[in-house]
Amino acid sequence: RRRISAAAVLKLVAMPLAGWLLGWALGLSPEEIQVGLVLLATPTAAGSFTMASQLGGDVELAAGSVALSTVLSVVSLAAAVAYR
C-alpha cells in the first residue's frame, strides 16, 4: 500500500508541482501553466496496467496506482482548473 500511495502522490502532487515550477521559471503565462497543470494532474493511464502485465512488471502496483490516482485526481484536477 505504501508504494501505491507513493506512486499516486508522485503523479498527482510532485509532477504538477514540478510542472508549475518549470513553467514559472520559463516565464509562461498563467494560462499556459494552467494547461500544463491540467495535463500533469490527470490520473495514471490505464494502459500502464496492460504494459506491466505483458512485460512482466508489477501488476499490483500498476493496478493500485491507476485506481488510487483516479480517485485522488478529483482533487488535483480541481486545483489545476482553479489555478490563477
Side-chain angles (χ1 to χ4, degrees), residues 11-50:
K11 172 66 177 124
L12 300 176
V13 177
M15 286 181 61
L17 180 60
W20 177 80
L21 288 171
L22 182 61
W24 177 77
L26 293 174
L28 298 178
S29 71
E31 293 83 12
E32 292 168 327
I33 293 173
Q34 186 177 30
V35 169
L37 289 177
V38 168
L39 293 172
L40 291 170
T42 58
T44 303
S48 64
F49 173 79
T50 304

